[in-house]
Amino acid sequence: MDSSDTTTIAHEPETAIKQPYISIDSQSTSTRQTSPMPGPKRPGGPRHKSSIRTQDSFTQPRDIEKHSKLPYFLRMRGSITPHMIVPLVFIGAWATLITCISKFVYPLVVSDLLLTVLGFVVGLAISFRTSSAYERYADGRKFWAQLSQTSRDLARHIWIHVKERHEMNPEQGKADLLGKVTALNLVSAFAVALKHRLRFEPYAQYEDLEPLVSHLSTFAGEAFDPETSEPRPKTSWKRGGEYLGLTVAQSNPRKVIQRSKKNLGNLPLEILTYMSAYLDAISESGQLSNGVQQSIFQANLASLNEVLAGTERVLNTPLPMAYSIAISQITWVYVIMLPFQLWAKLDWVTIPGTMFGAYIIIGIAAIGREIENPFGCDENDLPLDKFCQALQDEINVITARAPPRIEDFVATEDNAVIAENGYASLAEKSTEAIRAGLRARTNLRTGGHVPQEKQEV
């Protein structure tokens, strides 16, 4: 068993974005963390918790930061082996029945030519199934990478290029700063809201989302109803059935959406609308007067909208039902025919041989079903919680310091502009001498070092 499987899971999800409450002392520029306090609650009920069941370590995406030294063939977490238990028991019983009848009653033998003919067809079908599923998985990861890149670019533009008008009025400058932080929170909120939307969690009252959007007027926030939005607790039988991959135990993932009595809207799209309103406001106020920067801002918003549309396409465009049914039927017919074709040459070994062949064929088909929706909460799904937390951490890094000024990092003695020559010493040189030093840097020698006589400007 994977060592990561034995890790004790806390009652609160590790992957959920935690918004620490920061106490800002008006007499000091430093900040300090205080113990969490209840956040504002929207009308309609208590804060809605995420549907991720952290007490069950087999119902969360695998933590990519954890490392296991176990060989892959000994790992259980993320394996499709639990889903193969029931099919293998059935195939083993079927192979035993055919073998016993062939041994003691009448030999039920079919030409092994079917192994070659049907095997080729089954191989093509499974190959198409797994390649289509992985394409969806890869598309989901590409769209989320695009979201991360666009969000970083947008956060950087907001923090650096949107002006804070402190010279006009200290209070106005403070308001501009708080407006920028609010806009950056919306960047993070878009990613978190998209994660919940892709997991069919349509409301705004989730622990990692409510602090970011509770001040917004949205359909998702107004539609919240504790009676219909809270996921119903799962029985031990249902959890066991889901672990074994039984279709009879699988619930409709859109059940929470279908139970809603109000229009749920599209929360990520509504967040983009608020971000567009912010762009319009800073353009009119002159905080972002550069037309090029305005175009870049608008292009980033369009890129986020493209991510929203692309991930919805991956989620809502499964493999056509005709393909899924035909591939499943072809696979099972081939596996059921195996004992008839193996008995003549394998005798009693037909039973384990059939089970081993079934594990390979049905297992590969099961992998395709497992990864075709990359946005869920299963072990093999994308760790969207970690991605959202990483994006929030990066935005926090950007805002941790005031927007840098050129004099803060150029005109300093620590700035080794050319080799070991600092800015102050080079400022006393002539332009020709500086250019001569720049030309000398092209005369690299073994090891990437420039001779000392060439380094001196």
Side-chain angles (χ1 to χ4, degrees):
M1 189 171 183
D2 194 343
S3 61
S4 63
D5 294 342
T6 61
T7 303
T8 301
I9 305 299
H11 292 290
E12 292 297 330
E14 294 180 355
T15 55
I17 294 179
K18 298 295 184 183
Q19 293 291 335
Y21 288 84
I22 305 297
S23 176
I24 302 179
D25 190 349
S26 59
Q27 303 298 324
S28 171
T29 57
S30 62
T31 62
R32 64 180 184 273
Q33 269 195 18
T34 61
S35 58
M37 298 180 63
K41 297 183 179 179
R42 300 186 63 90
R47 181 176 296 179
H48 178 54
K49 295 185 180 296
S50 174
S51 59
I52 299 178
R53 301 292 183 182
T54 55
Q55 67 269 24
D56 185 355
S57 62
F58 286 90
T59 57
Q60 297 182 60
R62 184 176 62 90
D63 190 349
I64 58 178
E65 296 180 356
K66 293 183 179 179
H67 173 69
S68 174
K69 296 183 179 180
L70 285 176
Y72 277 104
F73 70 91
L74 293 178
R75 301 185 187 185
M76 285 295 294
R77 178 156 191 177
S79 171
I80 48 91
T81 300
H83 294 181
M84 298 297 299
I85 294 176
V86 174
L88 288 181
V89 169
F90 171 78
I91 292 299
W94 172 256
T96 302
L97 175 64
I98 300 304
T99 301
C100 291
I101 293 176
S102 300
K103 182 73 174 180
F104 302 112
V105 181
Y106 182 81
L108 302 175
V109 179
V110 177
S111 173
D112 57 5
L113 180 63
L114 286 176
L115 280 173
T116 304
V117 177
L118 291 180
F120 177 75
V121 176
V122 171
L124 288 179
I126 294 179
S127 176
F128 173 76
R129 183 72 176 86
T130 53
S131 61
S132 299
Y134 185 76
E135 182 180 1
R136 291 163 52 82
Y137 187 90
D139 284 345
R141 185 62 185 95
K142 290 176 183 177
F143 281 120
W144 206 269
Q146 181 181 346
L147 183 148
S148 298
Q149 176 186 353
T150 303
S151 298
R152 293 167 184 165
D153 194 34
L154 186 57
R156 178 173 54 84
H157 275 81
I158 292 175
W159 192 245
I160 300 299
H161 299 292
V162 177
K163 305 302 180 185
E164 301 172 14
R165 295 166 291 182
H166 297 282
E167 67 285 350
M168 178 185 300
N169 186 328
E171 292 299 323
Q172 183 62 58
K174 186 194 305 182
D176 294 340
L177 172 60
L178 295 177
K180 290 168 62 173
V181 176
T182 300
L184 292 175
N185 287 341
L186 291 180
V187 176
S188 179
F190 176 83
V192 180
L194 180 60
K195 174 194 71 174
H196 285 292
R197 179 172 177 80
L198 296 176
R199 291 177 174 177
F200 305 108
E201 298 170 343
Y203 296 101
Q205 281 73 23
Y206 302 99
E207 285 183 329
D208 54 351
L209 180 59
E210 185 178 17
L212 300 172
V213 299
S214 59
H215 60 292
L216 305 179
S217 176
T218 61
F219 283 96
E222 296 171 356
F224 177 70
D225 183 359
E227 296 182 359
T228 59
S229 60
E230 287 289 348
R232 297 173 182 173
K234 297 179 181 179
T235 64
S236 58
W237 290 101
K238 187 174 183 61
R239 287 197 297 269
E242 290 180 346
Y243 177 70
L244 295 176
L246 301 179
T247 56
V248 295
Q250 297 174 0
S251 301
N252 182 0
R254 294 176 169 83
K255 184 181 295 184
V256 175
I257 298 176
Q258 294 174 350
R259 290 206 304 259
S260 177
K261 301 176 182 178
K262 298 181 181 179
N263 186 354
L264 295 170
N266 187 329
L267 185 55
L269 183 60
E270 293 181 75
I271 293 174
L272 286 181
T273 302
Y274 281 99
M275 294 172 68
S276 295
Y278 176 74
L279 171 60
D280 186 63
I282 59 178
S283 299
E284 290 184 357
S285 65
Q287 291 179 261
L288 190 66
S289 57
N290 190 313
V292 175
Q293 298 299 338
Q294 293 175 4
S295 299
I296 294 176
F297 198 122
Q298 194 66 259
N300 284 328
L301 295 182
S303 180
L304 291 179
N305 193 37
E306 180 182 352
V307 170
L308 173 60
T311 51
E312 288 178 339
R313 172 180 62 81
V314 173
L315 181 68
N316 298 319
T317 313
L319 193 67
M321 187 60 65
Y323 280 112
S324 299
I325 294 175
I327 292 173
S328 178
Q329 291 174 342
I330 292 172
T331 301
W332 274 98
V333 167
Y334 180 80
V335 170
I336 289 176
M337 292 297 296
L338 279 178
F340 299 97
Q341 302 170 76
L342 299 179
W343 159 253
K345 295 182 178 180
L346 299 183
D347 202 65
W348 288 107
V349 184
T350 298
I351 300 173
T354 301
M355 296 180 67
F356 183 71
Y359 182 86
I360 295 175
I361 298 171
I362 300 178
I364 295 177
I367 292 175
R369 293 191 301 271
E370 179 77 10
I371 67 174
E372 68 176 350
N373 176 15
F375 305 122
C377 299
D378 296 330
E379 301 86 355
N380 293 297
D381 293 329
L382 295 174
L384 301 186
D385 297 283
K386 286 290 185 181
F387 293 161
C388 291
Q389 181 64 68
L391 177 59
Q392 180 65 68
D393 292 342
E394 290 165 352
I395 293 177
N396 291 342
V397 168
I398 292 175
T399 59
R401 292 183 174 87
R405 300 173 299 175
I406 189 171
E407 56 268 21
D408 295 334
F409 60 92
V410 175
T412 61
E413 185 60 34
D414 294 334
N415 180 17
V417 182
I418 302 177
E420 298 178 356
N421 298 278
Y423 181 89
S425 61
L426 289 174
E428 300 175 355
K429 305 292 184 180
S430 64
T431 303
E432 290 74 14
I434 295 175
R435 295 192 183 281
L438 293 173
R439 286 193 296 272
R441 292 200 302 185
T442 62
N443 299 323
L444 300 179
R445 295 292 183 266
T446 304
H449 298 288
V450 180
Q452 184 63 33
E453 62 273 10
K454 295 291 187 180
Q455 293 183 18
E456 296 179 356
V457 179

